[in-house]
Amino acid sequence: MELSWGLSYEIVSREGLSPLERALLARAQAAAELAYAPYSGFPVGAAVRLKDGSIYTGNNQENLAYPSGLCAERVVLFQVGALRKAAEIEALAIYAPKVEVAFPCGACRQVMLEYEQMGEAPWALIFAGAAASVYRMKGISLLLPFHFVWKRS
């Protein structure tokens, strides 16, 4: 059996983003500045926009008792899950200033996928770093092929 899947994404300049996308990325950048990353020295910020236009942010939070810290993506997603409904999310931006572009780790991809599935629609995703261009795509599932899914009865 032959398996194949395509990864559809765009690499665009920051100026090529829509005003809503630029605003979301700016909030992720601001969140990265507040990251608590004294051990790795690798700050990351994330921002999500909900369907009503509100934006929530998070950043990585490290702890000497590794692996007790959390990535920026999970910090912001768990915050939205605790305060609102994850199904309300429509877009997510990730920013890390010390790499050309920031992509989520595997654990964050799984959390992102489950939260995205709650909303029954793929999110707009923006991945950015020190480079002048950003990666833009729709939906997290293509970044996590053969992902774990459990259908609750």
Side-chain angles (χ1 to χ4, degrees):
M1 175 182 212
E2 182 178 319
L3 297 175
S4 67
W5 60 88
L7 179 60
S8 178
Y9 65 91
E10 297 178 281
I11 301 174
V12 299
S13 69
R14 292 171 194 258
E15 294 76 30
L17 296 173
S18 72
L20 283 175
E21 291 170 325
R22 281 195 302 273
L24 189 64
L25 181 55
R27 295 289 296 275
Q29 285 181 260
E33 293 175 13
L34 299 172
Y36 181 65
Y39 308 105
S40 71
F42 190 78
V44 179
V48 297
R49 185 180 61 245
L50 304 185
K51 292 174 183 174
D52 68 5
S54 59
I55 295 176
Y56 288 78
T57 62
N59 44 46
N60 54 319
Q61 298 293 309
E62 296 178 352
N63 190 278
L64 184 58
Y66 180 82
S68 298
L70 278 179
C71 300
E73 300 91 318
R74 283 180 282 160
V75 167
V76 71
L77 291 173
F78 293 159
Q79 177 188 185
V80 170
L83 298 174
R84 303 281 298 259
K85 290 182 180 176
E88 298 177 34
I89 298 171
E90 68 177 9
L92 180 140
I94 302 168
Y95 174 81
K98 294 192 174 186
V99 292
E100 293 295 307
V101 63
F103 292 104
C105 72
C108 287
R109 291 175 192 209
Q110 181 63 44
V111 171
M112 291 166 64
L113 178 70
E114 187 164 336
Y115 274 51
E116 185 183 76
Q117 288 173 337
M118 286 183 212
E120 300 176 353
W123 299 341
L125 301 165
I126 301 167
F127 306 119
S133 56
V134 301
Y135 283 64
R136 179 171 59 187
M137 63 183 297
K138 194 79 167 173
I140 190 65
S141 64
L142 293 176
L143 287 181
L144 192 62
F146 307 110
H147 52 271
F148 179 80
V149 177
W150 178 51
K151 299 289 183 188
R152 294 176 275 296
S153 52

